[in-house]
Amino acid sequence: MAGKSDPTRILILGGGYVGMYTALQLQKKLGRREASVTVVDPQPHMTYQPFLPEAAAGSVEPRHVVAPLRRVLKRCHVVTAAVTEIKHDEKVVTVENPQTGSEDIAYDVLVVALGSVSRLLPIPGLAEEGISLKTVGEATYLRNHVLGKMDAAANTDDPELRNRLLTFTFVGGGFAGVEALAELEDMARYATRYYDNLKPDDMSWALVEAAGRVMPEVSEKMGVYVVKALEERGIKVYLNTFLKSCEGGHAVLSDGTEFDTDTLVWNAGVKANPVLKNSDLPLDERGRVKATAHLQVEGLPEVWAAGDCAAVPDLSKTEENPGATCAPSAQHAVRQANQLAKNLLASLRGKSTKEYRHAYAGSVAGMGLYKGVADVYGFKAKGFIAWFMHRSYHVSRMPTFNRKLRIIIDWTLAFLFKREVVSMGQIQNPRAAFERAAAS
């Protein structure tokens, strides 16, 4: 325990939106003798997830959609490790690094910003065949995977194998699923111009959504437009349909449709980081930390929580739905981080804290090059205008001027010199060539 004259030890679990933005605000406003800030995350960078579809499609360099924590948080101590247990009664967190083993980190004030993971359902074959799009590694993998399947299809005359290679299936019709599908389809369509024996019509793209509409974040009218726009591009959209199984790459849908596919991208929701179950913090029925509107954990004033892993009351909806909590979105995470930092500072200095209150501003989404939808403060747009709004909004939210400028340069170069459609498939198994050489 820190002595009375020692700086307060603030420990932030997670280096995503909430963790990094909170630490960034604290390092700007805290005196060196007032408190020390430690950030723990398995990755040494923060990933700006809204740009992952563009990174997968080759419009943005993957390294440019991540912000290096040590470079951004120069006055904070960054620990690259995974949290394995939280023992608040002892004010200790256990972390583990595969290279160095486990260790305990003590704290005085705790910020829980562990985010979310993909919510997988018990569907036969999903764990073996599926991949999500939540990390820069997955974005790079998907880009190489799609281009690799196109290369393989161009080199075979077997019609069944060719159809399987060129069938790309996406499950989940929220923003993440639709943007990933639209960007990758746009990239693949562009890439066919470099193949003598591949045409856009040879590929089969499908979106499977269990609900009756896509993109619930936008108006129903805009959701209908998105479906029509996808179908005009030859993409099959299955609404009110769910994936029953995908064993061995054979997809079976609830409406009876069956087909073979070598690509299954899963974007059907998220859940709170499961490591929270290894803690003594109060959790709700969905495994999220119970938090107040002041972003403090219920009954624990020295513990703060925000983002996807926290059940924060949504005060903009409490009149119509008293139990409403904030949706897991980047928009909430960034704004909650700003309020959390202010409240934490106020608490340390004996001042009153404020409630997190944010009216929904709207949403923007990209659907490939020069295509998009937007529903912002009642203003609805589609096509080029919405695409421009999407890019403008997200580049403004990207942390650091360095990363903003690099992304703008990427876009400019892509505009001047067209898309890069080179598959770096060797990245998927970098030791293959070495192993072949060793065996010869």
Side-chain angles (χ1 to χ4, degrees), residues 80-380:
T80 304
V83 175
T84 58
E85 188 176 7
I86 302 170
K87 295 175 281 190
H88 181 64
D89 281 347
E90 302 174 29
K91 290 197 172 182
V92 167
V93 170
T94 302
V95 303
E96 184 169 3
N97 182 299
Q99 309 297 325
T100 59
S102 63
E103 64 172 306
D104 289 341
I105 302 177
Y107 63 86
D108 299 310
V109 175
L110 183 67
V111 177
V112 183
L114 290 167
S116 60
V117 299
S118 295
R119 178 174 59 88
L120 269 62
L121 300 178
I123 298 173
L126 175 59
E128 294 78 17
E129 304 291 335
I131 185 172
S132 64
L133 185 56
K134 287 181 66 64
T135 69
V136 70
E138 289 172 330
T140 303
Y141 173 88
L142 276 173
R143 171 179 170 77
N144 293 324
H145 175 84
V146 170
L147 292 173
K149 295 302 176 183
M150 294 177 68
D151 287 340
N155 294 329
T156 182
D157 294 323
D158 184 333
E160 283 191 20
L161 176 58
R162 185 183 171 95
N163 288 338
R164 180 190 181 105
L165 291 167
L166 294 177
T167 298
F168 306 99
T169 308
F170 290 69
V171 181
F175 266 92
V178 171
E179 286 190 310
L181 166 61
E183 290 285 353
L184 284 165
E185 189 275 341
D186 203 45
M187 176 201 71
R189 177 183 293 271
Y190 178 86
T192 56
R193 67 183 63 189
Y194 299 111
Y195 293 88
D196 295 331
N197 58 346
L198 283 186
K199 303 185 299 295
D201 291 344
D202 294 332
M203 298 184 292
S204 177
W205 297 78
L207 176 65
V208 181
E209 169 54 46
R213 56 167 297 187
V214 300
M215 287 188 175
E217 299 88 348
V218 300
S219 68
E220 187 171 352
K221 184 177 180 180
M222 293 300 287
V224 171
Y225 165 78
V226 170
V227 172
K228 288 183 178 179
L230 293 175
E231 290 179 336
E232 286 174 0
R233 290 160 62 172
I235 299 170
K236 300 172 185 175
V237 180
Y238 297 90
L239 299 179
N240 295 309
T241 307
F242 58 87
L243 180 69
K244 291 182 66 176
S245 70
C246 193
E247 292 181 292
H250 182 71
V252 180
L253 307 185
S254 60
D255 67 352
T257 302
E258 297 187 29
F259 53 85
D260 291 330
T261 178
D262 269 0
T263 306
L264 178 64
V265 184
W266 180 265
N267 283 296
V270 297
K271 64 179 180 181
N273 195 315
V275 76
L276 291 171
K277 296 177 182 178
N278 296 330
S279 77
D280 51 4
L281 303 176
L283 307 180
D284 71 355
E285 67 282 356
R286 293 166 59 183
R288 301 174 299 174
V289 180
K290 293 181 180 179
T292 69
H294 292 260
L295 304 175
Q296 289 174 301
V297 174
E298 290 185 1
L300 304 173
E302 67 278 18
V303 183
W304 306 77
D308 292 2
C309 72
V312 178
D314 188 344
L315 300 183
S316 67
K317 299 179 180 179
T318 48
E319 289 186 7
E320 56 192 66
N321 184 2
T325 55
C326 295
S329 69
Q331 189 177 134
H332 276 302
V334 173
R335 286 166 171 78
Q336 286 176 1
N338 183 51
Q339 189 60 57
L340 192 157
K342 291 179 180 178
N343 284 354
L344 201 161
L345 283 166
S347 177
L348 287 176
R349 295 166 181 174
K351 299 178 182 179
S352 59
T353 60
K354 295 182 179 180
E355 294 179 328
Y356 170 74
R357 184 184 296 271
H358 170 63
Y360 183 61
S363 300
V364 290
M367 295 177 62
L369 202 58
Y370 310 131
K371 298 177 278 289
V373 292
D375 188 350
V376 181
Y377 292 119
F379 173 76
K380 298 175 176 58

Side-chain angles (χ1 to χ4, degrees), residues 395-408:
V395 79
S396 72
R397 290 294 179 265
M398 187 68 193
T400 78
F401 176 77
N402 176 299
R403 284 304 186 266
K404 287 182 173 70
L405 182 59
R406 287 177 184 268
I407 288 172
I408 292 172

